[in-house]
Amino acid sequence: MNKLFKRLTFLIVVFTISACTKDFDIINTNPNAPDTVPTSYLMTNAQTYIMTTLRNNGLGGRMGMLYAQYWSQLALTDESRYYVFSGLTNNSFRDLYLNLYDLQDIINKCKENPEENGASGYAPNQIAVAMIMQAYTFHIMTDIWGDIPYSEALQAKVNTTPVYDQSEDIYRSLIEKLKEAINLIDVSQPGMRGDIIYTGNMNKWKRFANSLIMRIGLRSGDLNAVREAAPNAFQSNDDNANFQYAATGSAINPLYVDWVENKTLGKQFAVSKTLVDYMLNNNDTMRLAAFATNLEKNPNKPAIYRGLTYGLTNNNSILEFFKGVSLQTERIYKADASTPLMNYDEVLFILAEIDNDEGKFREGVKNSAMNWGVEKASAQQLADEIEYKGLESIINEKWVANYMQGIQGWAEYRRTGYPELKAPVDGYHPSAMVGDLVVPNRRQYPPDESQLNGVNYNKTVEKLLDPGGQQQTPMFWQK
């Protein structure tokens, strides 16, 4: 049913764009199904498709996991050398806004008719969950594109050409929105139905919101917000915010669909040499076993892991592949895999950074290892043995812990300069427009925006250092 709504939504949008005025903007066009749809359905739909967009083969694989150098591309390697496919950017931008609108519809419905929509949970709790999911999504979008429509977005029939808000202003607003959501939550009242992430557990939504404040506050330099949120943030791995895919249906893992059902496993990505070498140098083979396949077929011999060099040409990538490289483990792409939004280890690494706290650093390593299935005693041993060199160690291990959150790994590199990533070994794609950057500072805006919201798009692009390529201008929070 949810999949049908989304398909109908897409058809309506495409038809309207092609048949009506050119200034029609998808960001401010109501894509919702009929008004009788329960808000619980809208929540399931929004969570599913937000996580599908962020973890699919496109924005998740061909951008996030590449830019953070968790993965390297096989065969078709253009994007690891920073060629940008405009279709991918258009689709990702559009899909995220479509699902932000589903969340806004929950907020609107619960404000206008709280009793009528009470079957899906206590109305303020529904509003709070929708606001937290919006903050999570907007924060990722502004980390990808910088200035984006925010304050005037999601206003159907009122404004079809929203201004682009400055990323710094969006960050400040998101912290306030998260605080507002926290204050709305009443744990004594029914939680949100249709919630896949926490199944309506409002205590955990409070902790997630506080943890997000810590992430956003650290990145933007608001350490007061970080410290205020810390006591009520995640307290253990039991609090982790994870989305659980389903074995069948519309909520199936998008990587399973593309790699297994469409039979492209081993044809698009391998685990990167950057990541594999770092983990081997730290004797971190237990977590590595969860990330990468063992090339040694004899179970009685030591495991062999070999990453694929990042940024090879197509021919060189194929040659290296045939020498043997580690692919992703089934844990990553199985149909009903779990994928993280944010974990407890990140809270610990944030606290380690702001106080240069080695103890919190080692707790972060331990909890990350346990989160990836390492036994507690072995996780503790790993944490005790890793060398501590302040910020460099903290961010390097945060990078490992954030595996499968490619956009977060990319953001932390841009913010701190760690870990030590590599420019494409075989050079940039002839069409790349990143100067001499190791990785792009931001993603190009979707070309569709120049037609749908041209005036505001042009005002925003003109402010960039490189209006043509749009990828070299640093974010306001970058090192």
Side-chain angles (χ1 to χ4, degrees):
M1 188 172 186
N2 294 331
K3 199 167 187 177
L4 174 60
F5 290 155
K6 188 60 65 177
R7 287 176 175 171
L8 288 173
T9 292
F10 176 73
L11 291 173
I12 290 168
V13 170
V14 171
F15 176 80
T16 309
I17 290 173
S18 62
C20 300
T21 61
K22 286 189 176 181
D23 66 351
F24 178 91
D25 189 352
I26 201 168
I27 295 168
N28 268 343
T29 301
N30 188 337
N32 293 327
D35 289 340
T36 55
V37 176
T39 50
S40 58
Y41 283 26
L42 292 173
M43 179 56 68
T44 300
N45 193 67
Q47 289 184 358
T48 299
Y49 285 97
I50 286 169
M51 297 314 297
T52 294
T53 302
L54 295 177
R55 296 290 186 269
N56 64 16
N57 218 39
L59 193 68
R62 289 159 50 199
M63 190 201 75
M65 295 299 285
L66 291 180
Y67 287 8
Q69 295 188 18
Y70 292 125
W71 295 349
S72 296
Q73 260 181 322
L74 283 166
L76 300 175
T77 64
D78 293 349
E79 284 157 304
S80 66
R81 299 170 64 216
Y82 308 138
Y83 177 81
V84 176
F85 284 94
S86 60
L88 168 60
T89 305
N90 281 329
N91 294 343
S92 302
F93 196 79
R94 175 202 66 207
D95 289 349
L96 289 170
Y97 272 109
L98 283 171
N99 291 291
L100 281 165
Y101 201 97
D102 276 350
L103 295 168
Q104 188 62 42
D105 199 33
I106 294 170
I107 294 170
N108 293 343
K109 287 174 181 289
C110 287
K111 285 183 176 180
E112 294 165 7
N113 297 295
E115 293 183 1
E116 182 179 317
N117 292 284
S120 295
Y122 181 56
N125 285 344
Q126 293 189 60
I127 293 170
V129 172
M131 290 176 67
I132 296 166
M133 282 301 302
Q134 282 188 336
Y136 170 79
T137 307
F138 271 124
H139 130 69
I140 289 176
M141 293 180 71
T142 193
D143 281 354
I144 296 171
W145 288 287
D147 299 354
I148 56 171
Y150 174 73
S151 62
E152 293 183 1
L154 314 179
Q155 298 176 8
K157 301 180 181 179
V158 175
N159 182 359
T160 59
T161 55
V163 299
Y164 282 58
D165 294 82
Q166 292 187 8
S167 182
E168 190 169 5
D169 293 336
I170 295 172
Y171 258 71
R172 281 194 291 265
S173 175
L174 292 178
I175 289 174
E176 294 308 310
K177 292 286 187 183
L178 286 165
K179 290 179 180 178
E180 182 183 344
I182 290 166
N183 289 332
L184 282 172
I185 291 174
D186 186 342
V187 298
S188 70
Q189 296 291 335
M192 177 89 224
R193 294 186 63 194
D195 165 27
I196 297 175
I197 296 168
Y198 284 128
T199 59
N201 186 321
M202 300 310 299
N203 275 312
K204 292 190 182 295
W205 276 106
K206 269 191 173 182
R207 289 179 180 172
F208 179 36
N210 279 291
S211 301
L212 271 180
I213 289 173
M214 292 181 69
R215 177 194 281 177
I216 294 169
L218 178 70
R219 200 161 292 165
S220 60
D222 187 351
L223 297 189
N224 286 334
V226 175
R227 294 187 188 281
E228 289 172 5
N232 299 304
F234 294 155
Q235 302 298 309
S236 73
N237 280 335
D238 290 339
D239 294 332
N240 291 347
N242 290 305
F243 181 87
Q244 181 69 53
Y245 289 111
T248 59
S250 61
I252 195 171
N253 186 348
L255 296 180
Y256 179 86
V257 174
D258 197 70
W259 295 0
V260 179
E261 292 186 352
N262 295 335
K263 300 180 180 179
T264 65
L265 180 65
K267 298 179 182 179
Q268 297 191 50
F269 305 101
V271 181
S272 78
K273 179 176 172 61
T274 312
L275 178 65
V276 171
D277 286 359
Y278 173 81
M279 296 183 75
L280 289 177
N281 287 339
N282 282 289
N283 198 29
D284 189 358
T285 54
M286 290 175 288
R287 271 189 299 183
L288 186 55
F291 300 170
T293 54
N294 176 12
L295 298 177
E296 176 54 67
K297 303 304 180 185
N298 187 336
N300 298 317
K301 292 185 177 181
I304 297 174
Y305 301 101
R306 188 179 302 121
L308 177 66
T309 302
Y310 184 80
L312 296 171
T313 61
N314 294 341
N315 287 340
N316 286 340
S317 178
I318 292 170
L319 289 172
E320 192 167 311
F321 170 72
F322 281 118
K323 293 177 182 177
V325 294
S326 296
L327 303 178
Q328 294 74 15
T329 60
E330 186 180 6
R331 173 176 181 151
I332 303 303
Y333 63 80
K334 68 178 181 177
D336 59 348
S338 174
T339 192
L341 288 77
M342 188 174 182
N343 290 328
Y344 173 51
D345 50 58
E346 184 173 347
V347 168
L348 291 166
F349 288 127
I350 291 170
L351 294 172
E353 179 176 343
I354 65 174
D355 292 326
N356 191 21
D357 187 329
E358 183 177 346
K360 287 288 192 294
F361 162 76
R362 297 197 184 282
E363 280 294 303
V365 174
K366 182 183 78 172
N367 278 276
S368 169
M370 291 169 61
N371 191 42
W372 284 99
V374 178
E375 294 291 334
K376 185 176 181 179
S378 298
Q380 184 66 63
Q381 182 179 355
L382 172 66
D384 290 341
E385 292 176 352
I386 287 184
E387 184 180 7
Y388 180 70
K389 296 185 290 185
L391 182 65
E392 179 181 0
S393 298
I394 292 167
I395 303 303
N396 284 349
E397 285 302 311
K398 189 177 185 181
W399 173 63
V400 174
N402 275 337
Y403 187 70
M404 291 312 297
Q405 298 184 73
I407 294 167
Q408 294 309 309
W410 174 40
E412 287 299 285
Y413 172 78
R414 288 178 287 163
R415 183 177 70 87
T416 67
Y418 297 117
E420 185 179 344
L421 302 183
K422 315 288 185 183
V425 169
D426 284 341
Y428 304 103
H429 188 277
S431 298
M433 292 183 282
V434 298
D436 60 356
L437 294 173
V438 173
V439 296
N441 282 334
R442 60 179 70 209
R443 186 75 168 182
Q444 282 180 333
Y445 286 111
D448 282 356
E449 275 291 279
S450 65
Q451 300 298 315
L452 300 174
N453 192 8
V455 172
N456 291 311
Y457 168 87
N458 289 329
K459 286 180 181 178
T460 300
V461 169
E462 287 167 2
K463 294 186 294 183
L464 298 175
L465 299 177
D466 57 328
Q470 303 176 15
Q471 298 171 82
Q472 297 182 50
T473 304
M475 298 296 184
F476 80 91
W477 41 259
Q478 276 190 243
K479 179 182 177 182

